Amino acid sequence: MNSHILPLSLKEGLARYKANKVQPKGFNLFCSMFNWHNERYLHSSFIGMMLSMKQEFLVLFLEELHRADAGAGVFKADDLAYFKGCTCKIYPNKDEHGEWRNIDILIRTADKKRAVVIENKILANDRMVNGKHQLEMYMERVREDGAERVIGVYLTPRRYQPDFAELWTEQNRMTLGYDTAIKHWAENCWKLEVDGFKREMIRQYGELLDVALNDPQVALEFREAVAANWEVAYDLYCSKDADRDFREAMKHVKWHTQYDVLNGVSDRLKALEGVEWNMENDRKMQKDVDVVSLTDKSSSLLVYNFRYKGIWCYICNDAKGFTIGPCNNRDGYQELDNRDLRNFRREETFQLIEPTCREELIQKVVDEAKAYLAGLS
């Protein structure tokens, strides 16, 4: 970045980002061998191995479930006491690496009466099986095998809600987050373990979670510095001189900017009279934007489906910018704004880092959408 003289506030903002970002402390086996989002061979295998390795680790995990339940009545005090008082079988485990009937992680009491079925979802899409969410189907399989009480757990990076949640009939289900429960569990296991090698492996797994699930406040603070100096930051972003830290920080700035715009549009559309919002949209906001914004390989950033007075419509951001139209007519769309949120090399899009510009775009898109929908009435 030698050819670019950065304003002091931007230089200090980047320095704070570099100082506060989480990095592996030396070699990290998990960071080196796996993509952080490898659900089966990294996370499910490690968690299952830990749960089966030591009874105390299992108890700590069950306590996290009870804490996350927070009185909702899914994993109750009675469940916690029952599982604590039983020997449990875990799949996968330290000796058997395979899943039990395609279930990511299964905790089952030795008497087979109670079970916890964990669906581990990092980035993969949910599936419907015979008209039911896959977690519900897995819970049914365990019941068919004789279990009297089955608790379903939907495990995601930041405790997201599942797709198709409005179609669920199962009540004994709950969500769990890597960013809170799993990180806290791993830390407590590390404190409990006395073997040096095992402690180091647990520490490295917790470190992987810290690296992958970065503190958003660090990126948001850097975004403020970029917004205050956006012309210089834009020139640097488009040049070949930017160092690795700046480019990495800008990925997160870009994600938060995209998220704020899309969230602002969706929140105001949901509030419009006559709009029936598809709840799957909110799950897509939480998960799919993250993937697309960091890879930019999708043909569209996001597509929202909703009904307006009985008519299925969509609103989309892709290479054409924001468009809206009927779901049954791909050519019958109307352009709302021509900014592709993925293209930060376009100056007008990069400027959305600045709050006023974001607000102006959100309001413009919503006003144009309202006018289009009014014409459908």
Side-chain angles (χ1 to χ4, degrees):
M1 294 194 296
N2 294 334
S3 63
H4 289 78
I5 300 175
L6 300 184
L8 182 61
S9 60
L10 183 57
K11 190 174 182 179
E12 290 178 342
L14 183 58
R16 283 195 298 272
Y17 171 84
K18 291 164 69 172
N20 291 323
K21 74 173 183 175
V22 179
Q23 292 179 302
K25 297 174 182 176
F27 176 76
N28 186 298
L29 181 67
F30 300 104
C31 293
S32 298
M33 290 186 64
F34 299 98
N35 291 322
W36 75 268
H37 49 79
N38 189 315
E39 295 170 354
R40 180 174 182 181
Y41 297 108
L42 170 55
H43 296 288
S44 293
S45 294
F46 183 83
I47 293 171
M49 180 269 294
M50 288 282 291
L51 295 178
S52 63
M53 186 168 66
K54 185 173 287 189
Q55 175 68 15
E56 290 88 344
F57 293 168
L58 174 60
V59 169
L60 288 173
F61 187 86
L62 296 170
E63 288 174 347
E64 288 295 335
L65 285 182
H66 183 55
R67 187 177 297 109
D69 178 70
V74 178
F75 195 80
K76 301 179 286 189
D78 170 70
D79 294 307
L80 179 61
Y82 194 93
F83 277 91
K84 279 186 175 181
C86 291
T87 301
C88 293
K89 184 69 174 179
I90 316 295
Y91 295 98
N93 57 62
K94 61 184 180 64
D95 300 313
E96 302 169 80
H97 302 158
E99 299 172 341
W100 188 88
R101 298 189 65 180
N102 297 321
I103 295 172
D104 290 336
I105 303 171
L106 176 64
I107 304 171
R108 193 164 186 185
T109 57
D111 60 13
K112 293 192 172 186
K113 290 184 177 180
R114 299 197 191 193
V116 174
V117 172
I118 301 174
E119 177 60 22
N120 188 12
K121 285 291 181 186
I122 305 293
L123 297 179
N125 292 320
D126 292 0
R127 293 185 294 111
M128 296 294 285
V129 181
N130 297 327
K132 292 189 176 182
H133 189 278
Q134 60 189 113
L135 178 55
E136 289 188 295
M137 285 298 299
Y138 297 152
M139 294 170 70
E140 281 191 9
R141 289 176 188 175
V142 180
R143 286 197 191 93
E144 291 168 357
D145 194 55
E148 297 173 1
R149 177 163 171 76
V150 181
I151 294 106
V153 177
Y154 190 74
L155 174 61
T156 57
R158 301 189 191 275
R159 205 173 183 182
Y160 305 146
Q161 290 299 315
D163 293 341
F164 318 113
E166 71 278 6
L167 302 177
W168 282 40
T169 58
E170 181 62 62
Q171 299 302 313
N172 290 330
R173 58 178 174 84
M174 60 183 290
T175 57
L176 198 69
Y178 276 95
D179 62 334
T180 50
I182 300 301
K183 287 175 69 172
H184 189 245
W185 169 70
E187 181 182 353
N188 286 336
C189 291
W190 176 82
K191 292 176 181 177
L192 188 65
E193 183 55 63
V194 294
D195 180 85
F197 176 77
K198 293 175 182 176
R199 276 174 62 88
E200 177 59 14
M201 289 299 97
I202 297 169
R203 185 199 69 77
Q204 289 191 21
Y205 181 73
E207 184 178 68
L208 167 77
L209 295 181
D210 287 336
V211 171
L213 302 170
N214 60 84
D215 181 0
Q217 193 57 39
V218 175
L220 290 173
E221 289 176 359
F222 180 64
R223 184 172 68 169
E224 291 179 7
V226 173
N229 305 276
W230 75 265
E231 296 97 334
V232 176
Y234 174 70
D235 288 341
L236 181 57
Y237 182 81
C238 295
S239 77
K240 296 181 180 179
D241 297 332
D243 67 15
R244 181 178 179 178
D245 288 309
F246 179 81
R247 294 195 181 281
E248 178 188 286
M250 285 304 301
K251 284 185 178 181
H252 296 290
V253 168
K254 181 178 178 180
W255 184 91
H256 285 287
T257 302
Q258 292 170 331
Y259 186 90
D260 286 349
V261 171
L262 293 169
N263 225 24
V265 169
S266 66
D267 284 347
R268 295 182 199 184
L269 279 178
K270 279 189 282 188
L272 295 181
E273 184 178 353
V275 169
E276 299 174 51
W277 196 247
N278 182 355
M279 292 306 294
E280 185 183 345
N281 293 331
D282 297 323
R283 163 71 172 154
K284 291 169 72 177
M285 268 301 306
Q286 295 167 322
K287 182 186 63 175
D288 295 348
V289 178
D290 198 0
V291 184
V292 174
S293 63
L294 295 181
T295 63
D296 289 342
K297 292 180 180 178
S298 175
S299 60
S300 63
L301 179 57
L302 203 63
V303 180
Y304 291 141
N305 296 321
F306 62 94
R307 281 202 299 183
Y308 179 74
K309 297 185 177 179
I311 302 171
W312 275 106
C313 300
Y314 75 89
I315 187 168
C316 173
N317 185 267
D318 57 16
K320 296 186 290 293
F322 276 100
T323 56
I324 192 170
C327 289
N328 60 356
N329 184 359
R330 296 180 62 182
D331 296 324
Y333 67 86
Q334 177 175 311
E335 183 179 295
L336 306 177
D337 183 88
N338 65 6
R339 275 168 282 192
D340 178 358
L341 296 183
R342 297 164 302 171
N343 185 10
F344 263 43
R345 291 184 177 274
R346 179 180 172 184
E347 185 173 309
E348 294 88 345
T349 306
F350 191 92
Q351 282 183 277
L352 295 173
I353 290 170
E354 204 279 318
T356 302
C357 293
R358 287 199 301 275
E359 173 59 29
E360 289 174 354
L361 174 62
I362 292 168
Q363 195 58 52
K364 176 187 177 184
V365 169
V366 173
D367 287 344
E368 296 281 349
K370 286 170 63 176
Y372 172 83
L373 295 174
L376 298 179
S377 302

PDB file of all heavy atoms in Angstrom, residues 203-231:
ATOM      1  N   ARG A 203      -8.137 -26.760  22.584  1.00  0.00           N
ATOM      2  CA  ARG A 203      -7.836 -25.335  22.418  1.00  0.00           C
ATOM      3  C   ARG A 203      -7.831 -24.943  20.945  1.00  0.00           C
ATOM      4  O   ARG A 203      -8.378 -23.910  20.556  1.00  0.00           O
ATOM      5  CB  ARG A 203      -6.466 -25.012  23.035  1.00  0.00           C
ATOM      6  CG  ARG A 203      -6.140 -23.507  23.002  1.00  0.00           C
ATOM      7  CD  ARG A 203      -4.662 -23.234  23.165  1.00  0.00           C
ATOM      8  NE  ARG A 203      -3.892 -23.667  21.998  1.00  0.00           N
ATOM      9  CZ  ARG A 203      -3.839 -23.004  20.852  1.00  0.00           C
ATOM     10  NH1 ARG A 203      -4.519 -21.873  20.684  1.00  0.00           N
ATOM     11  NH2 ARG A 203      -3.107 -23.457  19.837  1.00  0.00           N
ATOM     12  N   GLN A 204      -7.231 -25.790  20.105  1.00  0.00           N
ATOM     13  CA  GLN A 204      -7.172 -25.486  18.682  1.00  0.00           C
ATOM     14  C   GLN A 204      -8.561 -25.505  18.048  1.00  0.00           C
ATOM     15  O   GLN A 204      -8.853 -24.707  17.158  1.00  0.00           O
ATOM     16  CB  GLN A 204      -6.236 -26.469  17.967  1.00  0.00           C
ATOM     17  CG  GLN A 204      -4.773 -26.254  18.288  1.00  0.00           C
ATOM     18  CD  GLN A 204      -3.847 -27.052  17.386  1.00  0.00           C
ATOM     19  OE1 GLN A 204      -4.223 -27.469  16.285  1.00  0.00           O
ATOM     20  NE2 GLN A 204      -2.633 -27.289  17.851  1.00  0.00           N
ATOM     21  N   TYR A 205      -9.433 -26.402  18.509  1.00  0.00           N
ATOM     22  CA  TYR A 205     -10.803 -26.407  17.978  1.00  0.00           C
ATOM     23  C   TYR A 205     -11.532 -25.124  18.379  1.00  0.00           C
ATOM     24  O   TYR A 205     -12.215 -24.493  17.554  1.00  0.00           O
ATOM     25  CB  TYR A 205     -11.578 -27.628  18.476  1.00  0.00           C
ATOM     26  CG  TYR A 205     -12.998 -27.679  17.939  1.00  0.00           C
ATOM     27  CD1 TYR A 205     -13.245 -27.996  16.613  1.00  0.00           C
ATOM     28  CD2 TYR A 205     -14.077 -27.388  18.762  1.00  0.00           C
ATOM     29  CE1 TYR A 205     -14.532 -28.020  16.105  1.00  0.00           C
ATOM     30  CE2 TYR A 205     -15.378 -27.421  18.275  1.00  0.00           C
ATOM     31  CZ  TYR A 205     -15.599 -27.735  16.947  1.00  0.00           C
ATOM     32  OH  TYR A 205     -16.886 -27.755  16.447  1.00  0.00           O
ATOM     33  N   GLY A 206     -11.391 -24.727  19.634  1.00  0.00           N
ATOM     34  CA  GLY A 206     -11.999 -23.466  20.069  1.00  0.00           C
ATOM     35  C   GLY A 206     -11.441 -22.284  19.308  1.00  0.00           C
ATOM     36  O   GLY A 206     -12.170 -21.344  18.971  1.00  0.00           O
ATOM     37  N   GLU A 207     -10.146 -22.329  19.012  1.00  0.00           N
ATOM     38  CA  GLU A 207      -9.521 -21.257  18.245  1.00  0.00           C
ATOM     39  C   GLU A 207     -10.078 -21.205  16.832  1.00  0.00           C
ATOM     40  O   GLU A 207     -10.308 -20.115  16.285  1.00  0.00           O
ATOM     41  CB  GLU A 207      -8.018 -21.486  18.209  1.00  0.00           C
ATOM     42  CG  GLU A 207      -7.223 -20.404  17.521  1.00  0.00           C
ATOM     43  CD  GLU A 207      -5.730 -20.694  17.583  1.00  0.00           C
ATOM     44  OE1 GLU A 207      -5.287 -21.675  16.933  1.00  0.00           O
ATOM     45  OE2 GLU A 207      -5.016 -19.942  18.270  1.00  0.00           O
ATOM     46  N   LEU A 208     -10.307 -22.369  16.218  1.00  0.00           N
ATOM     47  CA  LEU A 208     -10.930 -22.414  14.898  1.00  0.00           C
ATOM     48  C   LEU A 208     -12.279 -21.715  14.920  1.00  0.00           C
ATOM     49  O   LEU A 208     -12.603 -20.933  14.014  1.00  0.00           O
ATOM     50  CB  LEU A 208     -11.104 -23.862  14.445  1.00  0.00           C
ATOM     51  CG  LEU A 208     -12.025 -24.074  13.238  1.00  0.00           C
ATOM     52  CD1 LEU A 208     -11.301 -23.703  11.947  1.00  0.00           C
ATOM     53  CD2 LEU A 208     -12.528 -25.499  13.164  1.00  0.00           C
ATOM     54  N   LEU A 209     -13.073 -21.963  15.952  1.00  0.00           N
ATOM     55  CA  LEU A 209     -14.385 -21.320  16.048  1.00  0.00           C
ATOM     56  C   LEU A 209     -14.231 -19.805  16.211  1.00  0.00           C
ATOM     57  O   LEU A 209     -14.997 -19.035  15.627  1.00  0.00           O
ATOM     58  CB  LEU A 209     -15.175 -21.899  17.225  1.00  0.00           C
ATOM     59  CG  LEU A 209     -15.559 -23.378  17.127  1.00  0.00           C
ATOM     60  CD1 LEU A 209     -16.352 -23.793  18.366  1.00  0.00           C
ATOM     61  CD2 LEU A 209     -16.360 -23.670  15.877  1.00  0.00           C
ATOM     62  N   ASP A 210     -13.235 -19.381  16.983  1.00  0.00           N
ATOM     63  CA  ASP A 210     -13.003 -17.946  17.151  1.00  0.00           C
ATOM     64  C   ASP A 210     -12.629 -17.291  15.832  1.00  0.00           C
ATOM     65  O   ASP A 210     -13.075 -16.179  15.521  1.00  0.00           O
ATOM     66  CB  ASP A 210     -11.888 -17.710  18.176  1.00  0.00           C
ATOM     67  CG  ASP A 210     -12.325 -18.000  19.597  1.00  0.00           C
ATOM     68  OD1 ASP A 210     -13.541 -17.934  19.865  1.00  0.00           O
ATOM     69  OD2 ASP A 210     -11.458 -18.291  20.439  1.00  0.00           O
ATOM     70  N   VAL A 211     -11.788 -17.974  15.050  1.00  0.00           N
ATOM     71  CA  VAL A 211     -11.356 -17.430  13.764  1.00  0.00           C
ATOM     72  C   VAL A 211     -12.524 -17.363  12.795  1.00  0.00           C
ATOM     73  O   VAL A 211     -12.725 -16.371  12.086  1.00  0.00           O
ATOM     74  CB  VAL A 211     -10.210 -18.280  13.174  1.00  0.00           C
ATOM     75  CG1 VAL A 211      -9.907 -17.857  11.738  1.00  0.00           C
ATOM     76  CG2 VAL A 211      -8.961 -18.154  14.034  1.00  0.00           C
ATOM     77  N   ALA A 212     -13.318 -18.445  12.737  1.00  0.00           N
ATOM     78  CA  ALA A 212     -14.421 -18.528  11.772  1.00  0.00           C
ATOM     79  C   ALA A 212     -15.571 -17.602  12.146  1.00  0.00           C
ATOM     80  O   ALA A 212     -16.186 -16.974  11.277  1.00  0.00           O
ATOM     81  CB  ALA A 212     -14.915 -19.970  11.679  1.00  0.00           C
ATOM     82  N   LEU A 213     -15.877 -17.522  13.431  1.00  0.00           N
ATOM     83  CA  LEU A 213     -17.017 -16.731  13.895  1.00  0.00           C
ATOM     84  C   LEU A 213     -16.496 -15.428  14.487  1.00  0.00           C
ATOM     85  O   LEU A 213     -16.548 -15.198  15.682  1.00  0.00           O
ATOM     86  CB  LEU A 213     -17.826 -17.522  14.930  1.00  0.00           C
ATOM     87  CG  LEU A 213     -18.357 -18.872  14.418  1.00  0.00           C
ATOM     88  CD1 LEU A 213     -18.916 -19.692  15.562  1.00  0.00           C
ATOM     89  CD2 LEU A 213     -19.421 -18.649  13.347  1.00  0.00           C
ATOM     90  N   ASN A 214     -15.990 -14.574  13.614  1.00  0.00           N
ATOM     91  CA  ASN A 214     -15.344 -13.352  14.061  1.00  0.00           C
ATOM     92  C   ASN A 214     -16.327 -12.424  14.765  1.00  0.00           C
ATOM     93  O   ASN A 214     -17.535 -12.463  14.528  1.00  0.00           O
ATOM     94  CB  ASN A 214     -14.702 -12.639  12.870  1.00  0.00           C
ATOM     95  CG  ASN A 214     -15.730 -12.272  11.817  1.00  0.00           C
ATOM     96  OD1 ASN A 214     -16.388 -11.246  11.911  1.00  0.00           O
ATOM     97  ND2 ASN A 214     -15.887 -13.115  10.808  1.00  0.00           N
ATOM     98  N   ASP A 215     -15.792 -11.555  15.599  1.00  0.00           N
ATOM     99  CA  ASP A 215     -16.600 -10.553  16.290  1.00  0.00           C
ATOM    100  C   ASP A 215     -17.027  -9.494  15.278  1.00  0.00           C
ATOM    101  O   ASP A 215     -16.180  -8.768  14.741  1.00  0.00           O
ATOM    102  CB  ASP A 215     -15.779  -9.917  17.404  1.00  0.00           C
ATOM    103  CG  ASP A 215     -16.567  -8.866  18.183  1.00  0.00           C
ATOM    104  OD1 ASP A 215     -17.744  -8.637  17.855  1.00  0.00           O
ATOM    105  OD2 ASP A 215     -15.988  -8.276  19.115  1.00  0.00           O
ATOM    106  N   PRO A 216     -18.314  -9.361  14.981  1.00  0.00           N
ATOM    107  CA  PRO A 216     -18.742  -8.404  13.959  1.00  0.00           C
ATOM    108  C   PRO A 216     -18.420  -6.959  14.305  1.00  0.00           C
ATOM    109  O   PRO A 216     -18.297  -6.119  13.419  1.00  0.00           O
ATOM    110  CB  PRO A 216     -20.256  -8.632  13.875  1.00  0.00           C
ATOM    111  CG  PRO A 216     -20.628  -9.283  15.160  1.00  0.00           C
ATOM    112  CD  PRO A 216     -19.449 -10.098  15.556  1.00  0.00           C
ATOM    113  N   GLN A 217     -18.263  -6.644  15.582  1.00  0.00           N
ATOM    114  CA  GLN A 217     -18.009  -5.261  15.977  1.00  0.00           C
ATOM    115  C   GLN A 217     -16.682  -4.760  15.417  1.00  0.00           C
ATOM    116  O   GLN A 217     -16.531  -3.576  15.097  1.00  0.00           O
ATOM    117  CB  GLN A 217     -18.006  -5.142  17.511  1.00  0.00           C
ATOM    118  CG  GLN A 217     -18.064  -3.711  18.013  1.00  0.00           C
ATOM    119  CD  GLN A 217     -19.285  -2.949  17.497  1.00  0.00           C
ATOM    120  OE1 GLN A 217     -20.380  -3.503  17.402  1.00  0.00           O
ATOM    121  NE2 GLN A 217     -19.100  -1.686  17.155  1.00  0.00           N
ATOM    122  N   VAL A 218     -15.709  -5.668  15.278  1.00  0.00           N
ATOM    123  CA  VAL A 218     -14.408  -5.279  14.729  1.00  0.00           C
ATOM    124  C   VAL A 218     -14.571  -4.771  13.299  1.00  0.00           C
ATOM    125  O   VAL A 218     -14.033  -3.720  12.924  1.00  0.00           O
ATOM    126  CB  VAL A 218     -13.430  -6.472  14.770  1.00  0.00           C
ATOM    127  CG1 VAL A 218     -12.117  -6.117  14.083  1.00  0.00           C
ATOM    128  CG2 VAL A 218     -13.181  -6.915  16.208  1.00  0.00           C
ATOM    129  N   ALA A 219     -15.337  -5.504  12.484  1.00  0.00           N
ATOM    130  CA  ALA A 219     -15.559  -5.095  11.095  1.00  0.00           C
ATOM    131  C   ALA A 219     -16.420  -3.846  11.010  1.00  0.00           C
ATOM    132  O   ALA A 219     -16.192  -2.979  10.151  1.00  0.00           O
ATOM    133  CB  ALA A 219     -16.208  -6.239  10.323  1.00  0.00           C
ATOM    134  N   LEU A 220     -17.410  -3.725  11.887  1.00  0.00           N
ATOM    135  CA  LEU A 220     -18.283  -2.557  11.857  1.00  0.00           C
ATOM    136  C   LEU A 220     -17.524  -1.275  12.200  1.00  0.00           C
ATOM    137  O   LEU A 220     -17.768  -0.213  11.616  1.00  0.00           O
ATOM    138  CB  LEU A 220     -19.451  -2.752  12.829  1.00  0.00           C
ATOM    139  CG  LEU A 220     -20.477  -3.818  12.420  1.00  0.00           C
ATOM    140  CD1 LEU A 220     -21.485  -4.054  13.541  1.00  0.00           C
ATOM    141  CD2 LEU A 220     -21.204  -3.402  11.141  1.00  0.00           C
ATOM    142  N   GLU A 221     -16.593  -1.377  13.124  1.00  0.00           N
ATOM    143  CA  GLU A 221     -15.786  -0.205  13.466  1.00  0.00           C
ATOM    144  C   GLU A 221     -14.887   0.187  12.303  1.00  0.00           C
ATOM    145  O   GLU A 221     -14.700   1.381  12.023  1.00  0.00           O
ATOM    146  CB  GLU A 221     -14.958  -0.495  14.719  1.00  0.00           C
ATOM    147  CG  GLU A 221     -15.794  -0.573  15.986  1.00  0.00           C
ATOM    148  CD  GLU A 221     -14.986  -0.964  17.199  1.00  0.00           C
ATOM    149  OE1 GLU A 221     -13.752  -1.193  17.050  1.00  0.00           O
ATOM    150  OE2 GLU A 221     -15.550  -1.045  18.304  1.00  0.00           O
ATOM    151  N   PHE A 222     -14.343  -0.809  11.611  1.00  0.00           N
ATOM    152  CA  PHE A 222     -13.510  -0.496  10.448  1.00  0.00           C
ATOM    153  C   PHE A 222     -14.368   0.109   9.342  1.00  0.00           C
ATOM    154  O   PHE A 222     -13.918   1.005   8.622  1.00  0.00           O
ATOM    155  CB  PHE A 222     -12.790  -1.751   9.953  1.00  0.00           C
ATOM    156  CG  PHE A 222     -11.921  -1.499   8.751  1.00  0.00           C
ATOM    157  CD1 PHE A 222     -10.828  -0.654   8.840  1.00  0.00           C
ATOM    158  CD2 PHE A 222     -12.199  -2.095   7.538  1.00  0.00           C
ATOM    159  CE1 PHE A 222     -10.027  -0.399   7.740  1.00  0.00           C
ATOM    160  CE2 PHE A 222     -11.403  -1.850   6.428  1.00  0.00           C
ATOM    161  CZ  PHE A 222     -10.307  -1.002   6.529  1.00  0.00           C
ATOM    162  N   ARG A 223     -15.612  -0.350   9.199  1.00  0.00           N
ATOM    163  CA  ARG A 223     -16.491   0.218   8.184  1.00  0.00           C
ATOM    164  C   ARG A 223     -16.711   1.707   8.417  1.00  0.00           C
ATOM    165  O   ARG A 223     -16.809   2.493   7.467  1.00  0.00           O
ATOM    166  CB  ARG A 223     -17.826  -0.518   8.134  1.00  0.00           C
ATOM    167  CG  ARG A 223     -18.725  -0.011   7.004  1.00  0.00           C
ATOM    168  CD  ARG A 223     -19.964  -0.842   6.820  1.00  0.00           C
ATOM    169  NE  ARG A 223     -20.895  -0.734   7.917  1.00  0.00           N
ATOM    170  CZ  ARG A 223     -22.140  -1.211   7.893  1.00  0.00           C
ATOM    171  NH1 ARG A 223     -22.568  -1.847   6.814  1.00  0.00           N
ATOM    172  NH2 ARG A 223     -22.939  -1.095   8.930  1.00  0.00           N
ATOM    173  N   GLU A 224     -16.801   2.114   9.657  1.00  0.00           N
ATOM    174  CA  GLU A 224     -16.970   3.538   9.952  1.00  0.00           C
ATOM    175  C   GLU A 224     -15.774   4.347   9.443  1.00  0.00           C
ATOM    176  O   GLU A 224     -15.943   5.441   8.887  1.00  0.00           O
ATOM    177  CB  GLU A 224     -17.134   3.733  11.464  1.00  0.00           C
ATOM    178  CG  GLU A 224     -18.441   3.187  12.017  1.00  0.00           C
ATOM    179  CD  GLU A 224     -18.553   3.378  13.518  1.00  0.00           C
ATOM    180  OE1 GLU A 224     -17.667   4.052  14.098  1.00  0.00           O
ATOM    181  OE2 GLU A 224     -19.516   2.869  14.123  1.00  0.00           O
ATOM    182  N   ALA A 225     -14.576   3.789   9.627  1.00  0.00           N
ATOM    183  CA  ALA A 225     -13.380   4.479   9.136  1.00  0.00           C
ATOM    184  C   ALA A 225     -13.364   4.536   7.618  1.00  0.00           C
ATOM    185  O   ALA A 225     -12.978   5.551   7.025  1.00  0.00           O
ATOM    186  CB  ALA A 225     -12.125   3.782   9.663  1.00  0.00           C
ATOM    187  N   VAL A 226     -13.801   3.468   6.975  1.00  0.00           N
ATOM    188  CA  VAL A 226     -13.867   3.439   5.516  1.00  0.00           C
ATOM    189  C   VAL A 226     -14.897   4.444   5.016  1.00  0.00           C
ATOM    190  O   VAL A 226     -14.654   5.180   4.048  1.00  0.00           O
ATOM    191  CB  VAL A 226     -14.199   2.024   5.009  1.00  0.00           C
ATOM    192  CG1 VAL A 226     -14.432   2.025   3.498  1.00  0.00           C
ATOM    193  CG2 VAL A 226     -13.073   1.058   5.358  1.00  0.00           C
ATOM    194  N   ALA A 227     -16.042   4.504   5.667  1.00  0.00           N
ATOM    195  CA  ALA A 227     -17.098   5.435   5.251  1.00  0.00           C
ATOM    196  C   ALA A 227     -16.635   6.880   5.346  1.00  0.00           C
ATOM    197  O   ALA A 227     -16.991   7.719   4.511  1.00  0.00           O
ATOM    198  CB  ALA A 227     -18.343   5.222   6.106  1.00  0.00           C
ATOM    199  N   ALA A 228     -15.825   7.194   6.355  1.00  0.00           N
ATOM    200  CA  ALA A 228     -15.340   8.563   6.541  1.00  0.00           C
ATOM    201  C   ALA A 228     -14.283   8.939   5.503  1.00  0.00           C
ATOM    202  O   ALA A 228     -14.007  10.129   5.302  1.00  0.00           O
ATOM    203  CB  ALA A 228     -14.778   8.728   7.946  1.00  0.00           C
ATOM    204  N   ASN A 229     -13.709   7.928   4.852  1.00  0.00           N
ATOM    205  CA  ASN A 229     -12.649   8.161   3.866  1.00  0.00           C
ATOM    206  C   ASN A 229     -12.890   7.311   2.622  1.00  0.00           C
ATOM    207  O   ASN A 229     -11.976   6.698   2.084  1.00  0.00           O
ATOM    208  CB  ASN A 229     -11.281   7.810   4.468  1.00  0.00           C
ATOM    209  CG  ASN A 229     -10.987   8.528   5.759  1.00  0.00           C
ATOM    210  OD1 ASN A 229     -10.536   9.657   5.768  1.00  0.00           O
ATOM    211  ND2 ASN A 229     -11.259   7.856   6.878  1.00  0.00           N
ATOM    212  N   TRP A 230     -14.135   7.286   2.165  1.00  0.00           N
ATOM    213  CA  TRP A 230     -14.505   6.289   1.179  1.00  0.00           C
ATOM    214  C   TRP A 230     -13.803   6.495  -0.168  1.00  0.00           C
ATOM    215  O   TRP A 230     -13.534   5.520  -0.872  1.00  0.00           O
ATOM    216  CB  TRP A 230     -16.027   6.251   1.007  1.00  0.00           C
ATOM    217  CG  TRP A 230     -16.618   7.398   0.234  1.00  0.00           C
ATOM    218  CD1 TRP A 230     -17.147   8.537   0.739  1.00  0.00           C
ATOM    219  CD2 TRP A 230     -16.732   7.500  -1.184  1.00  0.00           C
ATOM    220  NE1 TRP A 230     -17.594   9.343  -0.268  1.00  0.00           N
ATOM    221  CE2 TRP A 230     -17.351   8.738  -1.468  1.00  0.00           C
ATOM    222  CE3 TRP A 230     -16.390   6.678  -2.246  1.00  0.00           C
ATOM    223  CZ2 TRP A 230     -17.628   9.162  -2.759  1.00  0.00           C
ATOM    224  CZ3 TRP A 230     -16.660   7.091  -3.541  1.00  0.00           C
ATOM    225  CH2 TRP A 230     -17.266   8.322  -3.797  1.00  0.00           C
ATOM    226  N   GLU A 231     -13.487   7.736  -0.550  1.00  0.00           N
ATOM    227  CA  GLU A 231     -12.831   7.945  -1.845  1.00  0.00           C
ATOM    228  C   GLU A 231     -11.458   7.283  -1.887  1.00  0.00           C
ATOM    229  O   GLU A 231     -11.118   6.576  -2.838  1.00  0.00           O
ATOM    230  CB  GLU A 231     -12.689   9.443  -2.151  1.00  0.00           C
ATOM    231  CG  GLU A 231     -14.002  10.184  -2.304  1.00  0.00           C
ATOM    232  CD  GLU A 231     -14.398  10.877  -1.018  1.00  0.00           C
ATOM    233  OE1 GLU A 231     -13.967  10.419   0.068  1.00  0.00           O
ATOM    234  OE2 GLU A 231     -15.138  11.878  -1.092  1.00  0.00           O
TER     235      GLU A 231
END
